């Protein structure tokens, strides 16, 4: 047997696996082969999508279940011993496994990332692979896990028997948190993007600590009732009778797992603060969901709970750690033990990518000034100044602006899918109501089908709030469009939301991330794989902020008697805030009076103007590129740059195209690098008056060659006399193949099963048609010649 003739899989089976087993690793429980740990990035083609390649490790070794400590990358024996090392190191970054191996079947190159002494890389013979105990003890030394801490770390995950296992990033988050608790760390922060399963992650953390008896009584705090109920009925269900939800402001101290709203245990008076019915040391562990919403603010009611139970371990969960002049998550919890960002989630294929459609309205960009003495709809004299985007729908309502926004939303839905779940974020409740009315008037047929086609879902109105569950339920068709302001910013698991409309001025990075998170969930069963952001307020300019996907940066550490400077949470001017936390409807021309030291405070008026025309100045589509950043240049310029990075000249591209047996492989490769074929094809098709071949799209856009449509290419072949060498059925088959190419493209004619379809089935059976070419090899050669003729190649 010559090793160099063996495939990579043969090298694994005959040499690597036996070496691992000989070292004492249990092949059934500790060794996992061909582990795909990402889903493959979703690549959007117009209204279609595909998946990119999954990341796959040849071997992952775990001492305890779901606790990877080593990665092995295998290569065939024609390659060097260390040829897989850099690939394996990248996998170890993701999996948090400090021991990395590369092998070609001759031995192992071992890379030790612990830095505990000795060389970083060493060469090992096949019989020198380290034992499980050797690597585990070194791992514990690296992590600082004492003998007392190791039983907690070894505690198994909850297994419901379905085979469901945590995703790799959830595993890292769970393991790091459990290890931190086992080592005695009492303030822990986890940052995980919206839609990545924070609650399931929290459940596994609590389960392992509870089962290990490291933490016996646990409080899970959330800020929305729906979050508590979903948690209790879904992810936390295995806790069974040991769990209770704190409700009716009563306390039963016989449980071990408590779920509660912040509001259910706090109040303005001491007798309302029912958490004080527990002793300060009652809870061993408190998990704070959406901890950016107040637990890190020193003067918040939520913080009072944490201060009261200060002896407990506090774990904060958030997608958006808040760092302002008054609130600091990292000041309270310390640096995050693990961060899994939106960008990484999209890259791994666990979160949905997005397109951004930015729409500029003339009044938003140019502003508006009233004429002298102009009054509004209610006869109120309008203050003479220039009103701009900051004022609209707050201090000044341009009714026709609302109509234009609603018209563009309706236009988008009618061109894509009128029943895709849509959230329209408005400035306040009044704006959300006016937007609802405008959308109802623009969609009369849909509303006649079901009055709940458009609903205002805000904190002040029970009818709308009651429809929130139906909106987020994938099985419920209605409501389709939800207009809102603040209520749906967080805690709404809208798995099938495909359109997010931003008609709200957003200045907080935290709020922006939360809003974007409403669309990032993927639902394969209901065809939700990507979403669109329709932006009327330039909110998506925040994408350019380096903090958009960066780690939280601490801004301010208030200590002692330091002054607290109002930050981003200061109430916005003119926005009345009720108990819902949303700016209220109030009176349209809501006025307020108050003592400012000189008597009455001047009245504040929200003007309503109905006769000012508003129009769209510009509309542009931006795409999320493969690097996780929005493509800001034109799609053609971006395509040109991406293709030339792979094929510097037309000659390079033609050589690759002509050499490829399946052109679709090249098309797929370019798609993975962010080439949006559907949009490019449609654009060039408008110029040609017919659909072009992807070959012509590239040659024209990238290399300035004159393009042809598919039909023109087909006719060109017919004029060359290509068919002269064929007669009878074979000529009829080739002529039909050429017509199929003109209609559907090259990929449609490459599969021999096309011979079973019309019009081929009318010419004869597949076997008869193949025999007309002298058999399948002759048919395959004829199709290759046809392909060569299409692209002007010599056969």
């Amino acid at each position: 047997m010559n090793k160099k003739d063996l495939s990579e899989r043969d090298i694994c089976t005959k040499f690597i696996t036996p070496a691992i087993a000989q070292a004492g690793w249990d092949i059934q429980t500790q060794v996992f082969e061909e582990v795909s740990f990402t889903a493959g990035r979703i690549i959007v083609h117009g209204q279609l999508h595909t998946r990119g390649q999954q990341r796959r490790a040849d071997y992952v070794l775990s001492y305890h279940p779901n606790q990877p400590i080593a990665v092995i990358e295998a290569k065939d024996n024609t390659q060097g011993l260390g040829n897989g090392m850099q690939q394996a190191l990248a996998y170890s970054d993701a999996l948090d496994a400090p021991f990395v191996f590369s092998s070609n079947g001759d031995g192992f190159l071992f890379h030790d990332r612990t830095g505990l002494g000795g060389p970083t890389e060493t060469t090992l013979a096949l019989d020198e692979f380290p034992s499980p105990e050797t690597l585990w003890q070194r791992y514990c030394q690296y992590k600082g896990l004492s003998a007392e801490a190791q039983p907690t770390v070894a505690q198994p995950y909850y297994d419901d028997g379905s085979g469901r296992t945590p995703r790799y990033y959830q595993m890292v988050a769970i393991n790091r948190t459990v290890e931190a608790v086992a080592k005695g760390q009492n303030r822990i922060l986890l940052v995980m993007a919206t839609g990545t399963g924070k609650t399931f992650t929290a459940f596994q953390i609590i389960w392992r600590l509870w089962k290990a008896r490291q933490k016996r009584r646990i409080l899970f705090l959330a800020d929305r009732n729906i979050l508590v109920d979903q948690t209790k009925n879904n992810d936390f269900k295995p806790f069974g009778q040991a769990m209770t939800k704190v409700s009716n402001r009563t306390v039963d101290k016989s449980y071990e797992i408590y779920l509660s709203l912040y509001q259910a245990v706090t109040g303005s008076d001491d007798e309302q603060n029912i958490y004080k019915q527990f002793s300060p040391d009652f809870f061993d562990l408190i998990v704070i969901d959406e901890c950016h919403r107040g637990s890190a603010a020193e003067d918040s009611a939520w913080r009072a709970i944490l201060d009261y139970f200060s002896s407990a371990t506090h774990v904060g969960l958030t997608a958006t750690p808040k760092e302002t002049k008054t609130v600091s998550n990292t000041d309270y919890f310390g640096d995050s033990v693990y961060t899994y960002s939106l960008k990484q989630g999209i890259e791994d294929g666990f979160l949905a990518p997005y397109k951004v459609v930015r729409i500029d309205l003339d009044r938003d960009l140019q502003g508006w000034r009233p004429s002298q003495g102009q009054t509004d709809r209610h006869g109120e004299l309008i203050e003479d100044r220039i009103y701009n985007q900051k004022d609209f729908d707050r201090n000044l309502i341009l009714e026709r602006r609302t109509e234009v926004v609603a018209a563009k939303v309706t236009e988008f839905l009618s061109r894509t899918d009128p029943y895709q779940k849509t959230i329209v974020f408005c400035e306040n409740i009044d704006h959300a109501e006016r937007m609802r009315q405008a959308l109802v008037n623009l969609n009369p047929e849909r509303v006649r089908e079901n009055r709940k086609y458009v609903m205002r879902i805000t904190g002040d109105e029970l009818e709308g709030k009651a429809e929130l569950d139906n909106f987020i339920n994938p099985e419920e068709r209605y409501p389709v469009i939800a207009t809102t302001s603040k209520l749906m910013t967080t805690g709404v698991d809208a798995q099938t939301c495909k359109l997010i409309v931003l008609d709200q001025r957003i200045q907080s990075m935290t709020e922006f991330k939360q809003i974007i998170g409403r669309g990032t969930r993927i639902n394969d069963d209901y065809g939700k794989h990507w979403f669109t952001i329709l932006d009327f307020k330039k909110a998506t300019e925040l994408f350019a902020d380096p903090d958009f996907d960066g780690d939280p940066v601490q801004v301010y550490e208030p200590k002692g008697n330091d002054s607290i400077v109002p930050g981003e949470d200061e109430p916005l001017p003119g926005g009345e805030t009720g108990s819902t936390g949303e700016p209220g409807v109030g009176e349209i021309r809501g006025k307020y009076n108050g003592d400012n030291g000189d008597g009455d405070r001047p009245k504040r008026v929200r003007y309503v103007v109905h006769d000012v025309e508003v129009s769209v100045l510009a509309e542009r589509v931006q795409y999320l590129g493969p690097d996780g950043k929005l493509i800001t240049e034109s799609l053609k310029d971006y395509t040109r740059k991406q293709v030339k990075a792979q094929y510097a000249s037309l000659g390079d591209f033609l050589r690759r195209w002509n050499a490829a047996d399946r052109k679709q492989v090249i098309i797929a490769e370019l798609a993975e690098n962010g080439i949006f074929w559907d949009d490019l094809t449609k654009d060039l098709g408008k110029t040609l008056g017919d659909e072009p071949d992807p070959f012509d799209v590239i040659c024209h856009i990238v290399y300035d060659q004159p393009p042809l449509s598919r039909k023109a290419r087909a006719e060109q072949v017919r004029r060359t006399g290509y068919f002269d060498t064929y007669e009878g059925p074979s000529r009829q088959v080739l002529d039909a193949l050429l017509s199929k190419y003109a209609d559907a493209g090259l990929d449609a004619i490459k599969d021999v099963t096309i011979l079973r379809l019309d019009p081929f089935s009318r010419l004869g059976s597949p076997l008869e048609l193949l025999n007309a070419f002298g058999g399948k090899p002759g048919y395959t050669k004829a199709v290759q010649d046809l392909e060569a003729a299409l692209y002007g190649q010599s056969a």
Side-chain angles (χ1 to χ4, degrees):
M1 177 181 64
N2 187 344
K3 258 191 193 180
K4 303 217 178 287
D5 294 334
L6 297 177
S7 67
E8 180 182 300
R9 185 82 320 245
D10 286 336
I11 291 294
C12 291
T13 302
K14 297 179 184 299
F15 297 98
I16 299 177
T17 301
I20 298 170
Q22 183 183 340
W25 292 86
D26 188 317
I27 299 299
Q28 301 301 318
T29 63
Q30 294 181 313
V31 180
F32 304 89
E33 295 189 57
E34 297 187 293
V35 178
S36 294
F37 57 91
T38 68
R41 179 190 178 88
I42 292 174
I43 302 157
V44 180
H45 310 272
Q47 298 301 309
L48 305 175
H49 78 281
T50 56
R51 287 268 188 185
Q53 287 188 335
Q54 297 177 326
R55 298 181 77 191
R56 192 201 69 183
D58 289 322
Y59 292 86
V60 175
L61 308 186
S62 295
Y63 187 76
H64 295 297
N66 295 310
Q67 201 149 34
I69 62 173
V71 175
I72 306 172
E73 185 61 28
K75 298 296 177 186
D76 64 49
N77 200 249
T78 64
Q79 302 189 53
L81 191 68
N83 276 23
M85 181 52 71
Q86 293 189 142
Q87 189 177 350
L89 286 168
Y91 294 160
S92 79
D93 283 341
L95 297 172
D96 205 25
F99 308 116
V100 190
F101 300 84
S102 173
S103 178
N104 63 357
D106 288 339
F108 296 94
L109 180 65
F110 173 36
H111 186 110
D112 185 351
R113 306 189 72 168
T114 65
L116 293 175
T120 301
E121 289 194 352
T122 53
T123 301
L124 306 175
L126 285 173
D127 61 0
E128 292 178 323
F129 194 85
S131 70
E133 289 72 23
T134 298
L135 289 188
W136 175 247
Q137 289 308 315
R138 194 165 183 83
Y139 177 86
C140 291
Q141 185 183 358
Y142 165 60
K143 289 283 189 173
L145 299 171
S146 65
E148 292 74 23
Q150 290 179 32
T152 298
V153 173
Q155 180 63 44
Y157 282 60
Y158 173 77
D159 184 355
D160 63 3
S162 68
R164 178 190 182 188
T165 57
R167 293 171 175 172
Y168 85 88
Y169 62 85
Q170 293 171 336
M171 205 156 42
V172 175
I174 295 162
N175 291 340
R176 285 195 182 180
T177 304
V178 170
E179 288 169 0
V181 173
K183 290 189 291 185
Q185 187 173 329
N186 282 323
R187 300 291 180 266
I188 298 164
L189 178 65
L190 272 179
V191 179
M192 296 172 65
T194 300
T196 56
K198 290 193 297 295
T199 308
F200 175 69
T201 301
F203 162 71
Q204 290 287 5
I205 291 168
I206 295 170
W207 177 269
R208 292 177 64 195
L209 294 173
W210 182 59
K211 281 293 185 179
R213 309 313 287 165
Q214 175 80 19
K215 303 295 179 183
R216 295 173 181 271
R217 287 185 292 209
I218 296 150
L219 174 63
F220 180 86
L221 282 172
D223 71 323
R224 296 279 171 88
N225 200 50
I226 189 172
L227 290 178
V228 175
D229 290 339
Q230 286 175 351
T231 300
K232 183 174 184 289
N233 297 330
N234 297 318
D235 287 321
F236 279 40
K237 193 173 182 179
F239 286 121
Q241 298 301 310
M243 173 177 59
T244 187
K245 175 186 174 182
V246 177
S247 57
N248 299 321
R249 311 197 72 79
T250 57
V251 167
D252 184 339
K253 301 177 184 178
S254 63
Y255 293 91
E256 294 185 69
I257 310 295
Y258 293 79
L259 282 70
S260 177
L261 284 170
Y262 289 101
Q263 298 90 323
V265 291
T266 60
S268 56
D269 301 321
D270 282 348
E271 61 269 19
Q272 290 180 299
N273 291 328
I274 65 166
Y275 66 86
K276 292 186 178 178
Q277 295 179 40
F278 296 101
S279 64
D281 60 354
F282 183 84
F283 292 110
D284 305 309
L285 173 66
I286 300 178
V287 177
I288 308 100
D289 193 26
E290 306 290 0
C291 68
H292 65 278
R293 290 183 63 83
S295 62
E298 290 195 12
D299 58 350
S300 73
W302 303 352
R303 179 66 170 270
I305 303 173
L306 303 187
D307 289 342
Y308 183 77
F309 297 115
S310 61
S311 63
T313 298
H314 298 170
V315 176
L317 305 174
T318 182
T320 50
K322 184 174 284 189
E323 298 299 325
T324 73
K325 294 176 181 178
T326 57
V327 179
S328 172
N329 287 112
T330 54
D331 184 42
Y332 183 78
F333 290 102
D335 292 334
S336 170
V337 296
Y338 185 63
T339 296
Y340 188 71
S341 68
L342 170 64
K343 175 183 175 182
Q344 190 61 56
I346 293 173
E347 184 63 36
D348 289 341
F350 295 124
L351 294 179
Y354 47 84
K355 292 181 182 179
V356 175
V357 180
R358 285 181 173 165
I359 298 176
D360 295 332
L361 303 180
D362 57 352
R363 297 300 176 187
D364 287 14
L365 297 185
Q366 299 166 0
W368 176 78
R369 183 176 181 178
S371 57
Q372 187 174 6
Q374 183 172 350
T375 58
D376 75 348
R377 175 188 280 276
H378 301 283
E380 192 77 44
L381 180 66
I382 304 173
E383 181 186 350
D384 182 18
R385 64 179 179 87
I386 295 175
Y387 295 84
N388 55 34
Q389 192 183 72
K390 295 179 182 179
D391 298 296
F392 297 147
D393 296 303
R394 297 184 178 210
N395 306 318
L396 177 78
I397 295 168
L398 297 179
E399 293 186 322
R400 291 188 180 170
R401 186 189 179 284
T402 305
E403 293 166 5
V404 168
V405 171
K408 295 305 290 184
V409 173
T410 301
E411 177 189 342
F412 182 89
L413 290 172
S414 64
R415 288 186 176 183
T416 52
D417 173 10
Y419 294 98
Q420 60 188 299
K421 296 282 186 171
T422 300
I423 306 176
V424 185
F425 285 96
C426 303
E427 293 287 0
N428 46 49
I429 292 174
D430 169 59
H431 185 200
E433 172 56 23
R434 287 184 290 104
M435 187 63 69
R436 184 198 67 80
Q437 294 173 23
L439 287 165
V440 165
N441 289 332
L442 287 166
N443 294 273
E445 292 184 11
R446 309 289 179 204
V447 174
R448 275 196 295 272
E449 288 173 10
N450 191 302
R451 69 175 180 82
K452 295 179 181 179
Y453 181 77
V454 185
M455 293 291 292
R456 169 166 64 92
I457 301 179
T458 49
D460 70 314
E461 204 244 355
L462 294 178
E463 176 78 13
K465 283 176 72 175
E467 290 299 322
L468 181 56
D469 284 349
N470 289 329
F471 181 81
I472 66 179
N473 184 351
E475 296 182 3
E476 292 290 340
R477 191 173 204 180
Y478 300 101
V480 173
I481 305 173
T483 66
T484 190
S485 58
K486 299 293 183 187
L487 182 66
M488 299 176 73
T489 302
T490 64
V492 177
D493 189 8
Q495 298 176 30
T496 55
C497 178
K498 291 185 178 180
L499 179 62
I500 291 176
V501 181
L502 301 179
D503 199 26
Q504 181 184 111
R505 190 164 176 265
I506 303 168
Q507 295 177 286
S508 158
M509 179 62 73
T510 299
E511 186 175 12
F512 180 63
K513 284 186 179 182
Q514 289 288 347
I515 286 175
I516 297 305
R518 299 314 101 208
T520 55
R521 287 168 174 80
I522 293 170
N523 190 310
D524 290 306
D525 294 338
Y526 291 88
K528 163 64 189 305
H529 299 100
W530 55 280
F531 68 105
T532 301
I533 302 168
L534 205 57
D535 181 14
F536 292 90
K537 287 287 182 80
K538 293 185 176 294
T540 53
E541 289 182 353
L542 286 169
F543 280 127
D545 191 308
D547 289 335
F548 177 63
D549 256 329
D551 293 327
V553 177
Q554 191 154 2
V555 175
Y556 182 53
E557 296 181 55
K559 292 182 174 65
N561 295 320
D562 289 356
S563 64
I564 297 179
V565 180
E568 65 183 22
D569 290 329
E570 183 181 16
L572 295 166
E576 302 83 17
T577 302
S579 61
T580 63
E582 297 195 67
V585 179
E587 188 180 359
I588 291 295
R589 293 178 294 126
K591 305 175 182 179
Y592 61 78
N593 292 292
D595 187 3
N596 62 6
D598 297 314
D600 284 347
R601 189 175 181 179
K603 68 180 180 180
R604 187 58 160 268
V605 179
R606 186 181 293 164
Y607 304 107
V608 182
V609 182
H610 67 282
D611 57 354
V612 174
E613 293 298 325
V614 178
S615 61
V616 174
L617 274 186
E619 184 173 339
R620 57 202 184 279
V621 179
Q622 293 183 294
Y623 303 82
L624 188 74
D627 61 352
K629 298 295 183 183
L630 277 179
I631 301 166
T632 54
E633 58 202 315
S634 77
L635 197 54
K636 288 183 179 179
D637 289 343
Y638 176 78
T639 300
R640 193 175 293 116
K641 186 165 69 178
Q642 292 299 312
V643 174
K644 284 193 171 181
Q646 296 184 66
Y647 311 110
S649 68
L650 176 61
D652 292 337
F653 175 69
L654 291 177
R655 278 190 291 276
R656 175 77 170 93
W657 184 267
N658 293 338
D661 181 48
R662 288 190 69 246
K663 315 303 186 194
Q664 190 61 33
V665 172
I666 298 175
I667 294 169
E669 286 174 354
L670 291 171
E672 284 204 30
N673 283 285
I675 304 304
F676 296 90
W677 289 108
D678 240 41
D679 300 271
L680 294 167
T681 301
K682 283 179 185 175
D683 191 42
L684 185 55
K686 289 176 185 175
T687 304
L688 294 173
D690 213 334
E691 193 154 333
D693 191 293
F695 174 82
D696 286 282
V697 172
I698 294 300
C699 288
H700 176 64
I701 291 175
V702 181
Y703 304 108
D704 299 318
Q705 299 298 302
L708 291 174
S709 68
R710 289 200 304 261
K711 287 182 180 176
R713 281 199 171 276
E715 288 306 314
Q716 190 172 265
V717 170
R718 287 190 170 98
R719 291 195 299 269
T720 63
Y722 166 77
F723 294 116
D724 293 347
T725 57
Y726 298 93
E727 59 183 20
S730 61
R731 181 165 183 157
Q732 290 177 297
V733 168
L734 289 172
D735 188 63
L737 284 172
L738 200 56
S739 296
K740 278 288 184 185
Y741 161 78
D743 289 338
L746 186 65
D747 212 43
I749 70 173
K750 294 288 283 185
D751 192 339
V752 71
T753 58
I754 196 175
L755 298 180
R756 297 180 183 145
L757 307 177
D758 188 68
F760 304 96
S761 58
R762 288 188 267 117
L763 301 176
S765 69
L767 184 60
E768 289 172 334
L769 298 181
L770 290 174
N771 286 338
F773 292 89
K776 187 174 180 181
Y779 172 80
T780 302
K781 175 67 165 58
V783 174
Q784 289 172 345
D785 291 346
L786 177 60
E787 184 181 310
L790 278 167
Y791 299 111
Q793 306 160 225
S794 56

